[in-house]
Amino acid sequence: MGLLDLFGKKSKEDEAAAREAMKAILQHQAESRKDAVDSDEIPTGYGPFGLCKTNPVPTQGVPESNKYISRLKTKDGRSVQCTRVGSTSAKDVTSGMIDMYSISCAGTDVGKLYLCPYHKRNSAKAPEGFKLV
């Protein structure tokens, strides 16, 4: 059975195996990149953390970016909504693409969030004005 066969199965065991296989693929991708970090910030980043493309939040793949976003709240604990609006790059910061998200809270736009999903783990740091729960 090949890796793609795992994704077509519907049993819980097969779904768990597929998740583990995807996790291994993402880990391999991160470890094979020379500039992948195992830290809360990308050392070459500059500007407001997570709020500009030159200082994106490091995460370990798109599913982990979604987990990071789901934990993000305003400083006073209000939920935020994020919608992916595209991708960009900052070659002087990271070789990976940077995903851009529009952030809103209670229907009010509060800016953009920048995440780079090509690193060894998710950051445990929140952008200024936010917290992780």
Side-chain angles (χ1 to χ4, degrees), residues 70-124:
S70 73
R71 295 180 53 218
L72 198 63
K73 306 284 185 204
T74 62
K75 280 285 189 191
D76 61 2
R78 293 180 293 149
S79 294
V80 297
Q81 294 74 47
C82 293
T83 304
R84 188 176 182 280
V85 294
S87 63
T88 187
S89 63
K91 297 295 182 198
D92 58 334
V93 175
T94 183
S95 63
M97 292 302 291
I98 298 164
D99 293 331
M100 302 180 300
Y101 295 82
S102 175
I103 311 168
S104 62
C105 182
T108 302
D109 180 43
V110 292
K112 283 205 172 90
L113 179 65
Y114 296 83
L115 292 99
C116 185
Y118 302 100
H119 295 279
K120 296 181 181 179
R121 68 173 176 89
N122 283 2
S123 175

Side-chain angles (χ1 to χ4, degrees), residues 5-111:
D5 294 327
L6 291 173
F7 292 102
K9 303 291 182 183
K10 299 221 185 306
S11 76
K12 289 185 180 189
E13 293 82 15
D14 288 334
E15 288 177 8
R19 278 193 300 277
E20 286 303 313
M22 183 57 72
K23 187 175 180 178
I25 290 168
L26 294 171
Q27 184 69 28
H28 174 72
Q29 287 177 335
E31 290 176 359
S32 65
R33 287 189 55 242
K34 290 182 175 149
D35 66 345
V37 301
D38 185 9
S39 61
D40 289 333
E41 291 189 57
I42 300 170
T44 52
Y46 57 94
F49 175 73
L51 302 176
C52 67
K53 75 176 192 172
T54 57
N55 200 359
V57 175
T59 62
Q60 187 186 18
V62 173
E64 291 298 314
S65 290
N66 292 332
K67 284 182 186 178
Y68 178 91
I69 290 168
S70 73
R71 295 180 53 218
L72 198 63
K73 306 284 185 204
T74 62
K75 280 285 189 191
D76 61 2
R78 293 180 293 149
S79 294
V80 297
Q81 294 74 47
C82 293
T83 304
R84 188 176 182 280
V85 294
S87 63
T88 187
S89 63
K91 297 295 182 198
D92 58 334
V93 175
T94 183
S95 63
M97 292 302 291
I98 298 164
D99 293 331
M100 302 180 300
Y101 295 82
S102 175
I103 311 168
S104 62
C105 182
T108 302
D109 180 43
V110 292

